[in-house]
Amino acid sequence: MTDRMKRNLSTSGRVLLLAAYLLLVILPIYWMMATSLKPHTEIIDAQNLTYFPQAITGENYDQLFSMYNYGSMLKNSVIISGSTAIVITLLSILGGYAFARYEFRGKGSMLMFFLLTQMIPGILVIIPLYVIFANAGLINKRFSLFIYYLVVNLPFCVITMRSFFERIPYTLEEAAFVDGCTRWQGLFKIILPIMFPGIVAVFVFAFIGSWNELIAGTIFISTSDMWTVPVGLKSLIGKYDVKWGVLMAGGVLALLPTAIMFAVMQRFVVEGLTAGAVKG
Amino acid sequence: MGWQIALYILLIVALFVLGIRLLRRYEKKHNKRFQVSRKLEPYLFIMPVLILLLLAFGYPLINSVVMSLQNYKLTQPGNSYFNNFGNFKTLFADRDIGLIIRNSLIYVVASVGMQFLLGMTLALALRRKFKGRGVYQAIVFLPWAFSAFVVGLMFRWSFNGEYGVVNDLLMKLGIITEKIAWLGTPGLSLLVVILAMIWMGVPFFAIMYLAALQSIPEDVYEAADIDGCGAVRRYFAITLPYIKPTVIMTLLLRTIWVFNSFDLIVVITGGGPANHSQTLPSYMYTRAFSGYDFGLASALGVILMVALGLYAVFFLKVTKYNKAGDF
Amino acid sequence: MKKRLVAALLCLALVLPITLAGAATGVELRFIDVSPSPVRQEYFEKTFAKFQQETGIAVAYESVPWDDAANKLTILGASNQLPDVITTWAGWLGQFTAANWVIPLKDYIAGTEAEYTDTVTKLVWKGENELYGDTYTVPDGMMVKGVFVRKDWAAEEGLELDPAKGWTYTEYFDTVRKLTNPEKNRYGTSFRGARGAFDPLFVYLQTFTGGRAYADDGSALFNSPEATEAYKIWNGLYLDGNAPKDSINWGFIEMVDNFTGGLTGTLINDSEVTATCIANMEDDEWMVMPMPASDVDGQIYNTINSPYAYSISANSQNPDAAWELIQFLTRPDNNIEYCKLTGLIPIKKDVGDDPFYGPDGYYATFMQQLNDPKLVVPCAFGPFSYTDMHQGMMHEEMQKYLLGQQDAEASLGYVAGELENRMKQYLADNPGSAVEQPKSLSD
């Protein structure tokens, strides 16, 4: 086999693989979108499954906003998840840097503690927090969710950030120190720019982690005008029936912010910003 | 209130900037690098995170250990007393506990394993540039952005044996001739949960590995090409060692996360039929809220933490994580 | 100088959340709705506004999605944060009363009993007094179970179903079998195998025991040889293919979706489902039959509940104002409006001649059952302070039987054994208490 044939073979294999995977991803999403465009009677018609909406309708999207106040849910979710993600990113840069670049007493046990926080079942954290928030008057305030999402996502993000730091050779910084840079300058001028894809990734992780959280959302929030998107969508599941169309419409629209972020993120992560920088 | 959070963030950002400014000034004034003494530095960096986490998790961690040893009903918190490991005895006397442990293991190994394999494959396939790669990525990463309960509901509905789209599709394609009761058959119900979990989780692995792959310098590969390395050998000799810290950490974190997440199970099968898709955490959640028996739930929680803790220590030891990052 | 600024800022950042929080709390009642929908929220907010106009008391409307309601109320209760007026489901009362989260209402109700229908006074309140020693709720509306049937399918099979005449369980099972038609992809019944599966089954089993679940000493009666046979017949519907194979894991939602979606021919469910049928089906497609009469004694055993009854929480600082609110919500005009919106039957006698609840209305069969002298309300699982029986053990044991992992005797025997233990324990722990008795309007 010539090299060329080999390459062709591997290319076509790759294309096939990517296409198959795309199909697997798209089918459920397509099904959601199709459902969101059907009237309720068509959706629940058990004798007649339609793969394309017979009568395309926008009523589900319309109801989502006019009856269920989706706009306010989006607003709450964006404020809470956005602010959580910003603060988490800043704090994990600091924490991740320390874990990656220093040897210090208690490092192992601290890491273990971080992991431990990921193991404790969430409900055992929510109840004591609820009591504290209630006494501080924070119930039904976005702030309570902000704090909760901050602490539950932090350990993961710090550890992830650490692994991003660790991929950057220490020699880079050393070279900078030799050139007379301080540690801070080393961090800000040399490392962070290279790290940028990682930072963006951590931001997105933190954002998605808070964006989709449901249990704390139902516990800490008590009025529908403060509901986040998942809580609002959950309310579409009644005792006897599910508003499938509206729910799917809400699910599809809830993807928008993250989809935009992915589009932005892939520019950084994908275009291989780091590759060149590390090389130099 | 939104402005509360805004103010809070502003404060933290201001502190951040101010701290740096101060350091700079200090450095200029003394004409030397800022040295709190290198020993203290890492603690300073970690302090904010550590304080937050200790505040939030310290009490719950200790409290759940205490509760696990007590007869603690949420409805009668004033009436709790230590019951001589009664909760643990109850747990291990449960006649379905063996089945539930088995389910948990299958669930976590299959989900994480497949997520890892698919994620890695996807990342490798996406490493080289091609036309439309950006759009492709933006689409295939989407499943990760869904709410678990929306995905769960979607799967529960699609895998419904009677009016679900999956059976209909498989029959139209001639793959099956009779409707399959996915959610009503032991084994299959757990499979549906695992499929949903994999569907949602692959993008995470792909993103992490893709980012990691980008940091491998090209010249390493060039050298390998000269040596005439094959693709497989090249992968195991160069690629994998390079991204090993990421692989280890993602595997560890995701195992913990997947193991602990029960929302898909609760939504899709509710643990049924007859506990055949119940895992330890979903079982704990059900017990906590149907019996309000937080003593029992905490006991389960403690067992989970100990098991996961042992796993983490063992995993890090075996993979020699702390030696992996040095090049 | 700068250092001090930093210190000050740091302090501020830490203290901020606490100081900003404790803002205004006027004299205001809190009300929580456990099954929010835009319709309900609009009704409550409108009615609260009227209430404020008349009494000057403001009411804040809080809500939590139904799926998470029980969990949230539990956490609120455990941390003493329950709103003044809470909407409760009968299944939660054991826990709420045992934990003293709700207050007795007998003194408030005293003197006004005559305004309420017999179903409220003779069935609901009597039951609460038997189980918990006092009255703890005012029903928001009544619902009773019935059998929803595909009218058009029944006509195709030549079945004559007359709600006024009623039917027996034998006739009902027969109908289910006749409506099953694999060729047309039709099943006779929306079987329920998951959460709540035991509810309708428990009623059926008690048609063999005169409506009793336990003997006076707490031993279980519902696993007698006849009842065990009945258990086999009931589950036989599933095992013989009169219900989809999938239904072993169905809950409420699948049952209703499959009936309204045209897959199953009958559905045993609460009158509340009527609204869903009206919305999703044509009028000539469905009808409501009363619950089948017992094959043993001809009585109609049926459960009667209010879905989201009003209670006053023990946390309330203003229980009198809270009671005023409940009275306002249950005033005939407000209650009728509410019941029509939500598909319930009003709780006050003063319904007038509202055609909505007349013989030609959608609720005719339900109203007929409520007035039937043969109506008997059988016993509940027991006044236990936990509710895991609705979710765990019972339907899991039943599923094991359906999967062929154990026989009917073992399956029902295990459930009966568990419940018997709990009942006997309860009787021992609460001296002076007795097992519940079946109730009827003629008592």
Side-chain angles (χ1 to χ4, degrees):
Chain A
M1 231 188 325
T2 63
D3 270 6
R4 190 188 212 147
M5 277 169 71
K6 254 192 198 164
R7 195 163 302 148
N8 280 343
L9 205 70
S10 88
T11 308
S12 49
R14 200 163 67 120
V15 169
L16 222 67
L17 193 100
L18 288 174
Y21 188 72
L22 184 67
L23 193 71
L24 284 181
V25 168
I26 278 195
L27 278 181
I29 298 180
Y30 166 76
W31 192 239
M32 288 182 72
M33 286 181 155
T35 306
S36 74
L37 293 170
K38 292 177 187 175
H40 189 67
T41 43
E42 188 181 331
I43 295 171
I44 60 159
D45 188 344
Q47 300 288 9
N48 221 339
L49 212 64
T50 52
Y51 284 83
F52 303 96
Q54 296 295 296
I56 291 185
T57 167
E59 70 181 65
N60 294 318
Y61 288 89
D62 185 47
Q63 276 186 21
L64 193 61
F65 284 94
S66 60
M67 279 171 75
Y68 296 96
N69 215 352
Y70 194 65
S72 120
M73 296 176 206
L74 274 181
K75 192 182 97 191
N76 293 327
S77 274
V78 167
I79 292 176
I80 294 169
S81 308
S83 50
T84 310
I86 293 172
V87 174
I88 286 181
T89 312
L90 290 178
L91 292 177
S92 14
I93 289 176
L94 294 180
Y97 183 71
F99 272 128
R101 288 290 188 254
Y102 293 89
E103 283 305 324
F104 54 94
R105 205 188 258 265
K107 181 172 165 181
S109 31
M110 266 187 223
L111 257 180
M112 220 37 223
F113 172 65
F114 279 30
L115 288 176
L116 203 63
T117 63
Q118 300 295 286
M119 298 170 194
I120 180 170
I123 199 67
L124 294 178
V125 181
I126 290 179
I127 294 179
L129 268 184
Y130 183 86
V131 177
I132 296 170
F133 287 157
N135 289 326
L138 285 174
I139 292 306
N140 209 25
K141 302 259 166 38
R142 294 191 192 102
F143 196 77
S144 56
L145 285 182
F146 165 74
I147 293 280
Y148 179 74
Y149 296 155
L150 185 65
V151 294
V152 292
N153 288 306
L154 248 182
F156 171 82
C157 289
V158 170
I159 294 174
T160 309
M161 196 66 102
R162 172 201 180 180
S163 77
F164 284 127
F165 272 114
E166 270 173 347
R167 278 207 306 270
I168 296 164
Y170 191 53
T171 44
L172 263 182
E173 272 164 289
E174 272 180 338
F177 296 152
V178 173
D179 293 346
C181 271
T182 65
R183 188 157 267 277
W184 279 97
Q185 286 168 330
L187 176 61
F188 279 93
K189 291 205 173 126
I190 314 282
I191 304 188
L192 287 190
I194 303 174
M195 282 274 296
F196 200 67
I199 295 174
V200 176
V202 167
F203 179 88
V204 177
F205 294 165
F207 187 90
I208 291 180
S210 355
W211 184 260
N212 289 330
E213 202 282 340
L214 176 66
I215 296 178
T218 52
I219 303 290
F220 293 149
I221 298 301
S222 44
T223 61
S224 58
D225 59 320
M226 299 299 284
W227 277 351
T228 56
V229 171
V231 183
L233 293 184
K234 192 81 188 271
S235 79
L236 295 169
I237 306 176
K239 212 191 219 169
Y240 302 103
D241 61 342
V242 176
K243 307 262 181 303
W244 288 107
V246 188
L247 185 66
M248 290 304 153
V252 169
L253 285 188
L255 285 181
L256 278 184
T258 5
I260 294 169
M261 256 185 270
F262 279 156
V264 175
M265 181 175 78
Q266 61 89 19
R267 264 199 62 200
F268 294 112
V269 180
V270 173
E271 302 303 327
L273 240 176
T274 45
V278 173
K279 208 170 160 187
Chain B
M1 294 287 114
W3 60 270
Q4 268 177 321
I5 303 177
L7 212 64
Y8 199 76
I9 295 172
L10 255 170
L11 271 172
I12 287 180
V13 175
L15 275 177
F16 208 78
V17 173
L18 212 70
I20 295 163
R21 274 274 163 90
L22 271 178
L23 278 171
R24 286 251 174 88
R25 261 174 56 114
Y26 177 89
E27 283 163 354
K28 255 190 204 151
K29 220 178 188 172
H30 299 263
N31 202 15
K32 62 171 184 190
R33 261 188 253 158
F34 178 72
Q35 299 243 336
V36 192
S37 87
R38 253 179 82 66
K39 264 192 181 160
L40 271 180
E41 264 178 18
Y43 296 106
L44 275 180
F45 284 131
I46 296 179
M47 205 161 56
V49 180
L50 203 61
I51 290 175
L52 271 173
L53 293 185
L54 280 175
L55 279 177
F57 290 102
Y59 173 74
L61 274 170
I62 296 165
N63 193 38
S64 50
V65 175
V66 175
M67 279 199 299
S68 73
L69 298 170
Q70 285 179 325
N71 185 318
Y72 189 101
K73 292 260 188 220
L74 202 58
T75 45
Q76 289 147 313
N79 227 344
S80 50
Y81 52 88
F82 288 94
N83 62 356
N84 197 18
F85 296 98
N87 297 320
F88 292 92
K89 286 177 195 154
T90 314
L91 269 182
F92 287 111
D94 192 306
R95 37 189 207 147
D96 283 342
I97 197 77
L99 175 71
I100 293 172
I101 291 177
R102 208 192 58 155
N103 291 339
S104 312
L105 289 177
I106 295 176
Y107 164 72
V108 78
V109 171
S111 311
V112 177
M114 281 307 286
Q115 284 179 4
F116 168 72
L117 284 179
L118 284 173
M120 180 68 90
T121 317
L122 191 62
L124 288 172
L126 286 171
R127 186 166 143 71
R128 253 185 299 155
K129 240 187 208 156
F130 59 86
K131 226 182 185 174
R133 182 170 69 166
V135 181
Y136 182 88
Q137 278 182 340
I139 293 173
V140 296
F141 290 166
L142 274 184
W144 188 40
F146 277 101
S147 250
F149 98 90
V150 174
V151 171
L153 215 57
M154 179 73 203
F155 271 72
R156 167 169 150 195
W157 189 46
S158 302
F159 278 89
N160 184 301
E162 292 303 326
Y163 55 91
V165 66
V166 174
N167 270 348
D168 196 71
L169 202 63
L170 290 178
M171 283 174 88
K172 282 203 171 114
L173 293 175
I175 297 173
I176 57 172
T177 49
E178 239 176 63
K179 283 177 181 162
I180 299 175
W182 294 97
L183 302 179
T185 312
L188 289 184
S189 62
L190 187 62
L191 177 74
V192 174
V193 175
I194 293 173
L195 286 178
M197 192 39 132
I198 295 173
W199 190 76
M200 280 187 79
V202 172
F204 170 77
F205 280 91
I207 293 172
M208 290 295 286
Y209 295 155
L210 202 54
L213 287 173
Q214 301 298 343
S215 66
I216 304 179
E218 269 308 316
D219 42 8
V220 181
Y221 282 117
E222 281 157 22
D225 274 344
I226 296 166
D227 292 346
C229 270
V232 177
R233 242 194 81 197
R234 201 171 59 173
Y235 175 75
F236 282 102
I238 304 171
T239 315
L240 201 57
Y242 237 100
I243 60 171
K244 194 176 163 196
T246 313
V247 171
I248 293 171
M249 233 42 223
T250 44
L251 275 179
L252 179 63
L253 287 171
R254 282 318 266 194
T255 306
I256 295 174
W257 192 89
V258 167
F259 191 79
N260 260 336
S261 79
F262 53 81
D263 29 13
L264 281 177
I265 298 171
V266 170
V267 175
I268 298 178
T269 67
N275 276 337
H276 277 279
S277 62
Q278 196 83 274
T279 66
L280 283 169
S282 70
Y283 184 62
M284 178 200 137
Y285 184 76
T286 323
R287 287 310 286 255
F289 275 122
S290 54
Y292 307 101
D293 191 341
F294 269 63
L296 192 71
S298 301
L300 246 175
V302 168
I303 292 177
L304 287 180
M305 281 189 272
V306 170
L308 284 173
L310 287 177
Y311 164 78
V313 171
F314 178 75
F315 187 80
L316 290 178
K317 273 260 153 58
V318 166
T319 52
K320 302 193 184 75
Y321 177 66
N322 278 324
K323 290 187 189 119
D326 304 328
F327 292 103
Chain C
M1 184 58 209
K2 276 250 171 89
K3 258 185 201 156
R4 261 187 221 158
L5 194 67
V6 176
L9 273 174
L10 193 70
C11 287
L12 201 61
L14 289 175
V15 174
L16 189 74
I18 298 151
T19 46
L20 284 180
T25 39
V27 187
E28 191 184 71
L29 289 176
R30 287 166 64 209
F31 173 96
I32 190 160
D33 182 6
V34 293
S35 182
S37 69
V39 176
R40 287 174 65 88
Q41 177 161 0
E42 196 193 327
Y43 164 79
F44 279 119
E45 284 178 343
K46 196 185 72 191
T47 313
F48 292 161
K50 269 197 291 181
F51 180 65
Q52 187 170 12
Q53 261 181 6
E54 285 185 24
T55 62
I57 303 169
V59 185
Y61 174 84
E62 298 179 3
S63 54
V64 54
W66 165 252
D67 236 26
D68 302 297
N71 298 355
K72 169 136 183 174
L73 287 188
T74 301
I75 292 178
L76 290 175
S79 43
N80 298 322
Q81 297 291 330
L82 281 171
D84 302 82
V85 178
I86 48 182
T87 48
T88 47
W89 174 62
W92 301 338
L93 269 186
Q95 168 210 347
F96 285 11
T97 52
N100 290 321
W101 290 346
V102 288
I103 61 170
L105 300 178
K106 209 179 246 169
D107 293 344
Y108 283 115
I109 296 167
T112 61
E113 289 96 339
E115 294 171 17
Y116 297 87
T117 58
D118 288 354
T119 35
V120 176
T121 51
K122 288 189 175 173
L123 301 176
V124 178
W125 284 347
K126 195 170 169 202
E128 274 181 27
N129 277 284
E130 266 182 34
L131 288 169
Y132 314 116
D134 208 307
T135 307
Y136 284 94
T137 65
V138 177
D140 58 327
M142 299 311 301
M143 55 180 193
V144 57
K145 283 198 164 55
V147 186
F148 294 79
V149 184
R150 279 300 290 251
K151 202 201 271 183
D152 49 344
W153 295 10
E156 279 176 42
E157 299 298 328
L159 296 166
E160 278 183 34
L161 301 174
D162 180 5
K165 229 176 90 203
W167 52 356
T168 63
Y169 270 100
T170 308
E171 287 165 334
Y172 161 69
F173 291 134
D174 239 29
T175 307
V176 168
R177 291 189 195 102
K178 284 192 179 131
L179 290 180
T180 303
N181 190 337
E183 274 165 36
K184 290 185 183 158
N185 195 22
R186 289 175 180 175
Y187 295 93
T189 184
S190 264
F191 191 82
R192 175 155 51 146
R195 194 170 151 173
F198 237 77
D199 292 347
L201 174 57
F202 202 60
V203 172
Y204 174 53
L205 294 180
Q206 291 187 74
T207 65
F208 291 87
T209 63
R212 297 195 60 176
Y214 304 96
D216 289 339
D217 67 346
S219 3
L221 296 173
F222 58 88
N223 62 335
S224 65
E226 303 85 57
T228 307
E229 279 313 302
Y231 188 70
K232 288 181 190 164
I233 296 176
W234 180 275
N235 288 309
L237 290 181
Y238 173 85
L239 293 169
D240 297 341
N242 294 301
K245 223 172 155 232
D246 228 28
S247 55
I248 186 173
N249 221 13
W250 281 4
F252 261 135
I253 290 167
E254 281 90 354
M255 289 173 73
V256 179
D257 263 3
N258 276 301
F259 179 74
T260 54
L263 191 76
T264 55
T266 63
L267 166 74
I268 295 182
N269 220 322
D270 292 313
S271 46
E272 213 187 347
V273 176
T274 308
T276 313
C277 292
I278 296 173
N280 295 319
M281 298 170 86
E282 302 296 331
D283 277 356
D284 54 5
E285 284 179 336
W286 62 288
M287 62 184 288
V288 183
M289 287 291 286
M291 284 300 283
S294 162
D295 288 312
V296 181
D297 56 21
Q299 306 280 54
I300 296 176
Y301 292 91
N302 200 344
T303 55
I304 287 174
N305 279 311
S306 64
Y308 319 109
Y310 307 117
S311 300
I312 301 178
S313 84
N315 301 135
S316 177
Q317 300 296 311
N318 305 296
D320 292 346
W323 175 250
E324 248 184 281
L325 175 64
I326 292 181
Q327 271 191 312
F328 187 78
L329 287 171
T330 53
R331 211 169 67 185
D333 55 335
N334 289 330
N335 186 235
I336 289 175
E337 186 187 348
Y338 170 83
C339 286
K340 276 187 187 170
L341 279 176
T342 49
L344 298 171
I345 296 156
I347 60 161
K348 297 270 174 95
K349 283 176 181 159
D350 196 8
V351 189
D353 295 321
D354 202 311
F356 198 77
Y357 297 103
D360 295 323
Y362 286 114
Y363 290 90
T365 309
F366 297 114
M367 297 302 283
Q368 170 201 325
Q369 287 190 81
L370 283 179
N371 296 318
D372 195 324
K374 283 190 302 195
L375 180 80
V376 179
V377 177
C379 299
F381 298 118
F384 312 127
S385 63
Y386 40 85
T387 53
D388 62 326
M389 50 193 51
H390 286 274
Q391 299 167 1
M393 185 265 283
M394 297 176 126
H395 69 251
E396 278 154 20
E397 289 305 315
M398 188 172 127
Q399 287 174 342
K400 284 179 193 165
Y401 169 52
L402 294 176
L403 290 172
Q405 294 175 347
Q406 62 181 3
D407 61 17
E409 283 76 12
S411 168
L412 185 59
Y414 184 86
V415 175
E418 273 289 312
L419 287 183
E420 187 174 306
N421 285 342
R422 293 177 188 185
M423 195 66 210
K424 286 186 169 163
Q425 185 68 45
Y426 176 82
L427 291 174
D429 289 348
N430 297 276
S433 60
V435 298
E436 196 190 354
Q437 300 296 327
K439 281 164 283 293
S440 76
L441 291 170
S442 50
D443 290 346

